[in-house]
Structure formats: structure tokens, C-alpha cells
Amino acid sequence: MSLKLKSGFEFDYENLVGEGRVTRDDVEQLAPQLGKAHKAMDTMRKTGVIKAHLSKDGTPEKVLFSQLPYVEKGNLNSPESIDRLKKFGQSMRNRIDTVISLGIGGSFLGNKVLFDVQCGSFWNMKTREERDGYPRVFFSGNNIDPRSTKDLIDYINHAADMAMHHDKKNPHKYKVMLICISKSGGTLDTMSNFMVIYDALMNNPNVEVEVTAVTDPNTEKPTLLKKMAMENKWESFAVPDGVGGRFTIFCEVGLVLGAAVGFDIEAFLAGAKQMDIDCQNDDIWQNPAMLNAALKFIASEKYGRSEEVMMPYGDYLESVSMWYIQLLAESLGKQFNKEGKEVCYGRTPIVALGTRDMHSQTQQHQEGRLNKIVQFIRIEKWTNDLTIPNVFPQAHKLADIAGVTMGQALEVARQSNADALASNGRFNALFSLPELNAYYLGQLLYMLALSVAYEGELADVDAFNQPGVEAYKRIMGPKLQQVKSRG
Ligand code: PA5
């Protein structure tokens, strides 16, 4: 049982629907709520209004992420803004040696996805030619760890020394672009790293530093970062109003980093747009976001599946799982519903990676508490797939697997995991992408974003606020001041 879109994107729910699982009858019974949720999505698309959604300061706020795939004049992503991003990306080539992308949460996770899918793990070890002139990229600001920040500074200082004193053909100042991303413009994790790195690099005569700020664009009430950008004439891009951190991969936050490494941002948005169009279908069995939301909601509410394991198969997709953790946790993990009644809704998201975690977590998925949905992601066709060669014909166990491609073996492992889980009453489902490229990535991520929006309506919780993250912040601010005053 699956829903396959024209693009080839497929949602296989065979192991989530049927006898001993979510039933079609369960879905039928949800029809009135689904109808309402579908209407709410339509209203959100047309007006940006989501019932009862309030911003952090308690005022009504629009929800605009569903506009982002539509590159149109007057929209948040317009032909002009995409053109500017592309120019920004081109301006990096053969000019900037290294980009340091600073941000946390929604100002980091999506960017890491785009980087991983486009560049993989070995990008920074490649030559400039192999990188097609694009810069090396490091991430910072997603922790406040003195050791890793110092390691990064040491690395840049060393690279700058090499560029200035040991590059015989082209001795040059090492050019670093700090892309500082913060919607609020003052997040401790991001800004502490920014200040430490900026100060260290500015004090190195072999380094030339440029800064790009990505923040709330409001110039009348500018964020701290916006103010600094205006004062220092740093180039700046926008985290627009109405786009929460977990949706910013589709706006300039994600697209700036994508452009800086030659990621096809237009194909990415085109994939998201086609998904949005497909998800306007009011037949639940033809609408992947609505179907996914309904099945997960029923699995949670009726069958006690309160944890969701996001398990892509393929190394460079692990960050998709990390991105999804924020999306699910911040959108649906809510104590109160829209009427103020305590509901404590949500599923605990868990990062897993196939095949790696089959050798660790799978024991718990297979036999542990019956409270999980395991959500797989697979790539159907790997570019440059490798065939396992018959190098040790005497070793029968190894000879048996020779001749199979690694992509085939990966999929056999995934299917075996899915079958084993299903055979023991363990709910699981699959999102299948024909290939790993910008278009299908856009399809997948947008479908997931829209799915939590649907589920917010089904569970009657505000999927677009995150009041829970304010609690620790209220404690942390004064604590830091105490530390400072103690010296
Ligand atoms: O979803 C969110 O809003 C958070 O994860 C934020 O993105 C994160 O706290 C970083 O905030 P800011 O972009 O304001 O620095």
C-alpha cells in the first residue's frame, strides 16, 4: 500500500495501515477533523492565518512558510531575491576560502541538511578546483563549546599562514566569510561564537574577514545583529516575519548557505512547490502530508505510539533526521491545546541512521516498549553506486555478497528491518525518493513541514509557537549575569 506521486516520490504505509495497525476505519472516523484541517491549510495558504496562533509576545502572527516555494513577485521568495542569492553564491567562487556559518536551531539545522546533501563529508578536504571554486564550509554557534571553537580558530589561523607564506604560486590573505544567522539577532550560542571568532580572526594579519548577517529585516526596530550590519555595512539577508525557525530552510536562511556551495536552490523550491500543489488534493489517500499526519496522529492517540524514530538510510541524510527532530518537537510537543486545556501532546522524536543504528537501536525498536513508529527514508537510485567486488573468492561468506551494489545491499538491509519490525507488530513507514537531489529533497522536507501543520490542527495545538523553550531562557539570563558579576 503506497501513495506514489507523479514525480516518483512515494509514501509507503503498508506497515502502518491494516490488521493490527491503524485501520481504514480509524481514518474514516477522523474524516470531519481532517476536513477541517484541510480547510485550515487552505486558509493558511491564502491568508497566512492559523486559528489561535500567537507570536512570542502574545500578538496574532501570520504563518507564511507555505508561501516560500512560490517564487513570485511580491512574495518572500521572488525572482529578484533568488537572483540576488545566486549572485551572492557566484561571488564566493574563487574568492572566499572559507565560510563559517554561525547559527543554532532553526538557524543551523536546515543549512546543515543542504550542506550535507550537496557536499557530503569530504568537501573541506577537496581542492578548490574539485569544489568548483566554492569555499570550504564550517558550522559554528550550534553549541558554546570552547574546545571546538578554539579548534576552528586554530585551523583557520594555520590555513591562513599556509596561504600567505607557503602558497608559492599565489601567496594571499586568507578570506573568511562569517555568515551570522539569528532571527532575534542576539542568541547567546550564536553570538558568543561570533564574537570569539570575529575577534580572533580580525587580529590575524593574514586573514581578511567579511561578514554577512541573516536576521529579521526590520530596520525601524532592528535586532542587534541588524543594527551591527547597518553600522558596519555588512551584506544582509532576511529571516522574514511569519517564518519560524524550523521552516527557514525554504527562505534566505537556508538558501544563502545553499547558494554559497552551488546547491540548486531553484530545483529545491520547485520540488517543494510541486509537493504543495499535490497536497491541495482533498482526497486523503492522494495527499501525502494529510495522510502522514492522520496516520501518525491516530497511531499516537489510539495506539499509544508516542515516539517517532526518523531513520534515513544513507550517511548524508542523518542531518535530515536532526532537522526533523526540531520540526516535530517544537511543532507538536505542547502542554496546552488552543483552548488552553492541558493535553501534553506530541511524540518524542529520535534520530537514527540506517544501517548504522540497526546495530544498536534496533533491538529497542524490535522488542522494547510498544510505543514507537519507525519512519524510514530511502533513496531508490544512488548516483555512482559501487558494486561489491569478488576480491576474496575463497572466503565464501564474502563471495556470497559480491556482485551486489552497495545501494542494493543498503535497501535489502532496510527492507529486512521493516519486515522484521512489522512481523512483531511494530509500526513503520517509508518515504522513498527516486534520487538524492535538490528537487526530491524539497519535496520531502516540505511534505514533512506541511504534515506537522496538519497534525497541529488534528491535535488542536498551535504548531507554530514554541513557548517551552522560553522556560530555560528565563533562568539562564540572570544566571549568566551572576557569573559575570562574580568575575
Ligand atoms: O525554532 C526556533 O525558533 C529556534 O530553534 C531558533 O531558530 C533558535 O533558537 C535560534 O534563534 P535565532 O535565530 O533567533 O538566533
Coordinates of all heavy atoms in Angstrom, one line a residue, residues 56 103-109 181-191 214-215 239 243-248 326 330 466 469 472-473, ligand 1:
K56 N 5.5 35.1 20.1 CA 6.1 35.0 21.4 C 5.6 36.1 22.3 O 5.4 35.9 23.5 CB 7.6 35.2 21.2 CG 8.4 34.6 22.3 CD 9.8 34.2 21.9 CE 10.7 35.4 21.5 NZ 12.1 35.1 21.3
G103 N 25.0 29.7 13.6 CA 23.6 29.8 13.9 C 23.2 28.5 14.7 O 24.0 27.6 14.8
I104 N 22.0 28.5 15.3 CA 21.6 27.4 16.1 C 20.1 27.1 15.9 O 19.4 28.0 15.5 CB 21.9 27.6 17.6 CG1 21.8 26.3 18.4 CG2 21.1 28.7 18.2 CD1 22.4 26.3 19.8
G105 N 19.7 25.9 16.2 CA 18.3 25.6 16.0 C 17.9 25.8 14.5 O 18.5 25.3 13.6
G106 N 16.8 26.6 14.3 CA 16.3 26.8 13.0 C 17.3 27.6 12.2 O 17.1 27.7 10.9
S107 N 18.3 28.2 12.8 CA 19.3 29.0 12.0 C 20.5 28.1 11.7 O 21.6 28.6 11.4 CB 19.6 30.2 12.8 OG 18.5 31.0 12.9
F108 N 20.4 26.8 11.9 CA 21.5 25.9 11.7 C 21.1 24.6 11.0 O 21.6 24.2 10.0 CB 22.2 25.6 13.0 CG 23.0 24.3 13.0 CD1 24.1 24.2 12.1 CD2 22.7 23.2 13.8 CE1 24.9 23.0 12.1 CE2 23.5 22.0 13.7 CZ 24.6 21.9 12.9
L109 N 20.0 24.0 11.5 CA 19.7 22.6 11.2 C 19.4 22.4 9.7 O 19.9 21.5 9.0 CB 18.5 22.1 12.0 CG 18.9 21.9 13.5 CD1 17.7 21.8 14.4 CD2 19.7 20.6 13.7
I181 N 23.8 34.0 11.5 CA 22.3 33.8 11.3 C 21.6 33.8 12.6 O 21.9 32.9 13.4 CB 22.1 32.5 10.5 CG1 23.0 32.3 9.3 CG2 20.6 32.4 10.2 CD1 23.0 31.0 8.7
S182 N 20.8 34.8 12.8 CA 20.0 34.8 14.0 C 18.7 35.7 13.8 O 18.9 36.9 13.6 CB 20.8 35.3 15.2 OG 20.0 35.4 16.3
K183 N 17.6 35.1 13.9 CA 16.4 35.8 13.7 C 16.2 36.9 14.7 O 16.0 38.1 14.5 CB 15.2 34.9 13.7 CG 13.8 35.6 13.5 CD 12.7 34.6 13.4 CE 11.4 35.3 13.0 NZ 10.5 34.5 12.4
S184 N 16.4 36.5 16.0 CA 16.3 37.5 17.1 C 17.5 38.4 17.2 O 17.5 39.5 17.8 CB 16.2 36.8 18.4 OG 17.3 35.9 18.6
G185 N 18.6 38.0 16.5 CA 19.8 38.8 16.5 C 20.6 38.8 17.7 O 21.6 39.6 17.8
G186 N 20.3 38.0 18.7 CA 21.1 38.1 19.9 C 21.3 36.8 20.7 O 21.6 36.8 21.8
T187 N 21.0 35.7 20.0 CA 21.1 34.4 20.7 C 22.5 34.1 21.2 O 23.5 34.2 20.5 CB 20.6 33.3 19.7 OG1 19.3 33.6 19.3 CG2 20.7 31.9 20.3
L188 N 22.5 33.7 22.5 CA 23.8 33.6 23.2 C 24.8 32.6 22.4 O 25.9 33.0 22.2 CB 23.5 33.0 24.6 CG 24.7 32.6 25.4 CD1 25.6 33.7 25.8 CD2 24.3 31.7 26.6
D189 N 24.3 31.5 22.1 CA 25.1 30.4 21.5 C 25.8 31.0 20.2 O 27.0 30.8 20.0 CB 24.3 29.2 21.1 CG 23.2 28.9 22.1 OD1 22.4 29.8 22.4 OD2 23.2 27.8 22.7
T190 N 25.0 31.6 19.3 CA 25.4 32.1 18.1 C 26.4 33.3 18.3 O 27.5 33.3 17.7 CB 24.2 32.6 17.2 OG1 23.3 31.5 17.1 CG2 24.7 33.0 15.8
M191 N 25.9 34.2 19.1 CA 26.7 35.5 19.2 C 28.0 35.3 20.0 O 28.9 36.0 19.7 CB 25.8 36.6 19.8 CG 24.5 36.9 19.0 SD 24.9 37.1 17.2 CE 25.3 38.8 17.0
V214 N 22.3 37.4 8.6 CA 20.9 36.9 8.2 C 20.1 37.1 9.5 O 20.3 36.4 10.5 CB 21.0 35.5 7.7 CG1 19.6 35.0 7.2 CG2 22.1 35.3 6.7
T215 N 19.1 38.0 9.4 CA 18.3 38.3 10.6 C 17.0 39.0 10.2 O 16.7 39.1 9.0 CB 19.2 39.2 11.5 OG1 18.5 39.4 12.8 CG2 19.5 40.6 10.9
V239 N 15.5 36.9 7.7 CA 14.6 35.8 8.3 C 13.3 36.5 8.4 O 13.1 37.3 9.3 CB 15.1 35.4 9.7 CG1 14.4 34.1 10.1 CG2 16.6 35.3 9.7
V243 N 7.9 33.3 9.5 CA 8.6 32.0 9.2 C 9.4 31.6 10.4 O 10.4 32.1 10.7 CB 9.5 32.2 8.0 CG1 10.2 30.8 7.6 CG2 8.7 32.7 6.7
G244 N 8.8 30.6 11.1 CA 9.5 30.1 12.3 C 10.8 29.3 12.0 O 11.0 28.9 10.8
G245 N 11.7 29.2 13.0 CA 13.0 28.7 12.7 C 13.0 27.3 12.0 O 13.8 27.1 11.1
R246 N 12.0 26.5 12.3 CA 12.0 25.1 11.7 C 11.6 25.1 10.3 O 11.6 24.0 9.7 CB 11.2 24.2 12.6 CG 9.8 24.7 13.0 CD 9.4 24.0 14.3 NE 8.1 24.4 14.8 CZ 7.9 25.4 15.6 NH1 8.9 26.2 16.1 NH2 6.7 25.6 16.1
F247 N 11.1 26.2 9.8 CA 10.7 26.3 8.4 C 11.7 27.1 7.5 O 11.4 27.4 6.3 CB 9.3 26.9 8.3 CG 8.3 26.2 9.1 CD1 8.0 26.5 10.4 CD2 7.7 25.0 8.6 CE1 7.1 25.8 11.2 CE2 6.8 24.3 9.4 CZ 6.5 24.7 10.7
T248 N 12.7 27.6 8.2 CA 13.6 28.6 7.5 C 14.5 28.0 6.4 O 15.1 28.8 5.6 CB 14.5 29.4 8.4 OG1 15.2 28.4 9.2 CG2 13.7 30.3 9.4
Q326 N 13.7 18.8 15.3 CA 13.2 20.1 15.8 C 11.8 20.4 15.3 O 11.0 20.9 16.0 CB 14.2 21.2 15.2 CG 13.8 22.6 15.8 CD 14.3 23.8 15.0 OE1 14.7 23.6 13.8 NE2 14.4 24.9 15.7
E330 N 9.3 20.9 18.3 CA 8.8 22.3 18.6 C 7.4 22.5 18.1 O 6.6 23.3 18.6 CB 9.8 23.3 17.9 CG 11.1 23.4 18.7 CD 11.9 24.6 18.3 OE1 11.6 25.3 17.3 OE2 12.9 24.9 19.0
Q466 N 6.6 28.0 20.2 CA 7.4 27.1 21.0 C 7.7 27.7 22.4 O 8.8 28.0 22.8 CB 8.8 26.8 20.3 CG 9.7 28.0 19.9 CD 9.3 28.6 18.6 OE1 8.6 28.0 17.8 NE2 9.8 29.8 18.3
V469 N 10.5 26.6 25.0 CA 11.9 26.9 25.0 C 12.2 28.2 25.8 O 13.4 28.6 26.0 CB 12.5 27.0 23.6 CG1 12.4 25.6 22.9 CG2 11.9 28.1 22.8
Y472 N 13.7 27.8 30.1 CA 15.1 27.8 30.5 C 15.8 29.1 30.2 O 16.7 29.5 31.0 CB 15.9 26.6 29.8 CG 16.3 26.9 28.4 CD1 17.4 27.6 28.0 CD2 15.5 26.4 27.3 CE1 17.8 27.9 26.7 CE2 15.9 26.6 26.0 CZ 17.0 27.3 25.7 OH 17.3 27.6 24.4
K473 N 15.3 29.8 29.2 CA 16.0 31.1 28.9 C 15.8 32.1 30.0 O 16.6 32.9 30.3 CB 15.4 31.7 27.6 CG 15.8 30.9 26.3 CD 15.3 31.6 25.1 CE 15.6 30.7 23.8 NZ 14.9 31.2 22.7
Ligands
PA5_1 O1 12.8 27.4 16.1 C1 13.3 28.3 16.7 O2 12.8 29.4 16.7 C2 14.7 28.2 17.4 O3 15.3 26.9 17.1 C3 15.6 29.2 16.8 O4 15.8 29.0 15.5 C4 16.9 29.2 17.6 O5 16.7 29.4 19.0 C5 17.8 30.3 17.1 O6 17.2 31.5 17.2 P1 17.7 32.8 16.5 O7 17.6 32.5 15.0 O8 16.8 33.9 16.9 O9 19.1 33.0 16.9

